[in-house]
Amino acid sequence: MTTTTTRKLQDAPFDVARVRADFPILKREVNGKPLVYLDNGASSQMPQPVIDRLNRYHTSEHSNVHRGVHTLSEAASAEYEAVRGKAQRFINAKDEREIVFVRGATEGVNLVMHGYGRLFIKEGDEILVSAMEHHANIVPWQMLCQEKGCVLKVIPMNDAGELLLDEYQKLLGPKTKLVAVTHVSNALGTVNPVKEMVAMAHEAGAVVLVDGAQAVPHMKVDVQDLDADFYVFSGHKMCGPTGSGILYGKAALLVKMQPFMGGGDMILSVSFEKTTYNEIPFKFEAGTPAIAPMIGLGAAIDYLEGIGMDKIGAYEHQLLAYATERFAELEGVRIVGTAKDKAAVISFVIEGVHPHDVGTILDSEGVAVRAGHHCAQPVMIRMGVPATTRASLAFYNTPEEVDALIEGIKTVQRIFG
């Protein structure tokens, strides 16, 4: 996408029909019905420019990076490394060296656990996570606690799915060494006040990791403004390919951390007596990386910036408001997660119907949603449900698709009525 094209798109009003034309998969049918894709929290769809960029790489540029002196390798290396600069600008990191390529948010959290946690968190130290975390931001810290003898504490939330900041303040203390919190709940859609939470943690002397997997695709994120120490997100939730993701870390912290994995590319020199690690971010990127997915992620960043994250956020907010109004018309349906500040996620339960049955019947109507615990079992326990059905919206969804979801829910109720 050229700079001129990008500028024209940014200046244009948001046109969902024009946007939808970029996504070939949205033209297909499922079970004889037009596809209504509302599972964007699990994985978003890829627009044609991203698909084209992947095809171009695979058909004419494929080679290993950082290793060869031939034309293909140098070209692939340049395209691959250019993504680091795009990601830096996209989240307003101070330095390209603060952008570590990972396979997704989960790998980013695990890298910080191994690289920072295992080095700096000791027995008796405390780690805070919130009650609405994805398993990926719980399990690594539990593993660290089992290894080091540190203590995991949980920031509680209210019935609406909002974190209790006064309780969070009480949990913070001299033993708190790390806070790991999601920016947006994948199960409830709650947008957490992470800037305020980061400031509170820093006041107590703790570092903060923010899971931005559900935030980056839906709003403008500025890691310097948030003052987050670490911020992770996945490419496949923001119109990029699976196997791509970013760990942002403040340079001063990354420099002090130990590598996550050993191997090629993360070293400056190796002998049988000693290995000297590479500089950041390369000391965290051992082995042949996910070259094509990362180049695809770069194209996804170009695409989203071409539309404008502010426009995307505003449109999705309108869509969420419309969907919430439509849900209010339904009898026997309850939204789980009613925070004042929400991203475009609606988790819901239908009286007397298991979410898996809801998801199956909706699929027969062409509506793709997620049913289950959404890798957030503690959230389900806190909200008193075994599972929910989740409709997670994206900027290419329409009010008519929300209407199709509502009609699908009515079909479910008729079948089980």
Side-chain angles (χ1 to χ4, degrees):
M1 195 176 290
T2 66
T3 302
T4 303
T5 304
T6 298
R7 196 171 296 123
K8 283 180 180 176
L9 279 173
Q10 289 171 336
D11 292 341
F14 188 83
D15 183 345
V16 67
R18 178 176 176 178
V19 166
R20 288 178 64 84
D22 290 334
F23 290 81
I25 200 168
L26 299 181
K27 300 179 178 68
R28 68 162 291 182
E29 292 187 346
V30 170
N31 295 320
K33 307 284 179 60
L35 170 64
V36 176
Y37 188 78
L38 304 178
D39 194 20
N40 298 286
S43 193
S44 58
Q45 298 298 341
M46 288 191 290
Q48 194 64 52
V50 174
I51 297 169
D52 290 344
R53 187 64 193 89
L54 289 170
N55 286 339
R56 180 153 61 91
Y57 171 77
H58 285 299
T59 55
S60 63
E61 298 172 348
H62 175 64
S63 180
N64 212 327
V65 295
H66 302 156
R67 288 161 170 79
V69 296
H70 56 81
T71 299
L72 281 184
S73 180
E74 290 187 347
S77 298
E79 294 294 327
Y80 175 78
E81 283 303 321
V83 179
R84 217 178 292 276
K86 292 179 181 181
Q88 177 206 349
R89 290 188 297 275
F90 190 58
I91 60 171
N92 194 34
K94 189 180 295 182
D95 191 323
E96 272 191 25
R97 299 181 306 144
E98 297 177 322
I99 303 297
V100 181
F101 289 164
V102 290
R103 289 179 300 163
T106 296
E107 183 172 299
V109 175
N110 277 272
L111 193 157
V112 174
M113 186 278 275
H114 283 275
Y116 182 88
R118 296 181 78 185
L119 195 59
F120 295 109
I121 296 178
K122 311 297 183 189
E123 183 178 359
D125 289 343
E126 294 176 356
I127 298 170
L128 301 188
V129 298
S130 86
M132 65 177 71
E133 296 307 310
H134 189 284
H135 296 163
N137 206 21
I138 299 173
V139 178
W141 306 116
Q142 287 177 326
M143 295 165 72
L144 184 67
C145 288
Q146 289 169 2
E147 176 183 328
K148 295 289 187 177
C150 45
V151 180
L152 190 71
K153 293 194 169 182
V154 181
I155 308 162
M157 63 179 170
N158 61 23
D159 292 341
E162 297 165 322
L163 295 181
L164 301 176
L165 294 192
D166 53 344
E167 296 298 322
Y168 171 53
Q169 182 67 69
K170 292 176 187 173
L171 289 171
L172 288 166
K175 291 184 178 179
T176 311
K177 300 303 177 188
L178 187 139
V179 175
V181 63
T182 187
H183 197 163
V184 174
S185 164
N186 72 310
L188 306 175
T190 306
V191 180
N192 286 319
V194 288
K195 182 176 180 179
E196 184 180 354
M197 295 181 73
V198 168
M200 292 166 71
H202 286 172
E203 186 70 24
V207 302
V208 182
L209 178 144
V210 179
D211 175 0
Q214 300 291 338
V216 168
H218 306 290
M219 62 182 71
K220 179 122 185 96
V221 170
D222 183 333
V223 293
Q224 291 192 71
D225 181 58
L226 295 176
D227 200 22
D229 299 292
F230 301 103
Y231 196 100
V232 298
F233 57 97
S234 300
H236 71 98
K237 297 183 192 293
M238 50 178 286
C239 300
T242 54
S244 64
I246 299 294
L247 160 65
Y248 157 81
K250 288 179 178 174
L253 292 173
L254 293 178
V255 166
K256 292 191 293 185
M257 287 164 56
Q258 61 189 7
F260 178 32
M261 296 187 295
D265 227 26
M266 52 76 71
I267 55 88
L268 289 176
S269 65
V270 176
S271 70
F272 286 114
E273 289 73 33
K274 181 183 178 182
T275 291
T276 303
Y277 302 135
N278 207 337
E279 298 174 345
I280 63 167
F282 305 109
K283 76 173 180 180
F284 301 109
E285 298 176 1
T288 295
I291 304 167
M294 292 310 302
I295 289 175
L297 174 57
I301 290 173
D302 288 343
Y303 183 79
L304 294 175
E305 286 186 323
I307 296 172
M309 294 308 300
D310 289 340
K311 285 182 186 175
I312 287 172
Y315 176 77
E316 290 183 356
H317 188 73
Q318 293 173 0
L319 200 59
L320 174 65
Y322 177 73
T324 305
E325 287 178 9
R326 292 299 322 268
F327 267 80
E329 300 168 5
L330 298 168
E331 300 254 345
V333 178
R334 178 169 65 91
I335 293 177
V336 180
T338 54
K340 290 176 184 172
D341 193 2
K342 279 187 66 175
V345 172
I346 293 188
S347 270
F348 62 95
V349 291
I350 302 177
E351 191 176 318
V353 189
H354 193 282
H356 285 176
D357 293 326
V358 177
T360 301
I361 294 172
L362 288 176
D363 180 61
S364 70
E365 297 295 315
V367 181
V369 295
R370 173 94 179 260
H373 54 61
H374 316 296
C375 296
Q377 287 181 313
V379 175
M380 301 297 114
I381 293 169
R382 171 61 184 82
M383 304 310 275
V385 294
T388 70
T389 306
R390 183 187 70 184
S392 47
L393 312 175
F395 59 94
Y396 44 71
N397 290 129
T398 66
E400 291 76 18
E401 291 184 314
V402 171
D403 293 341
L405 170 64
I406 297 297
E407 291 306 311
I409 291 172
K410 291 178 180 176
T411 299
V412 173
Q413 291 177 313
R414 280 195 296 273
I415 291 172
F416 281 86

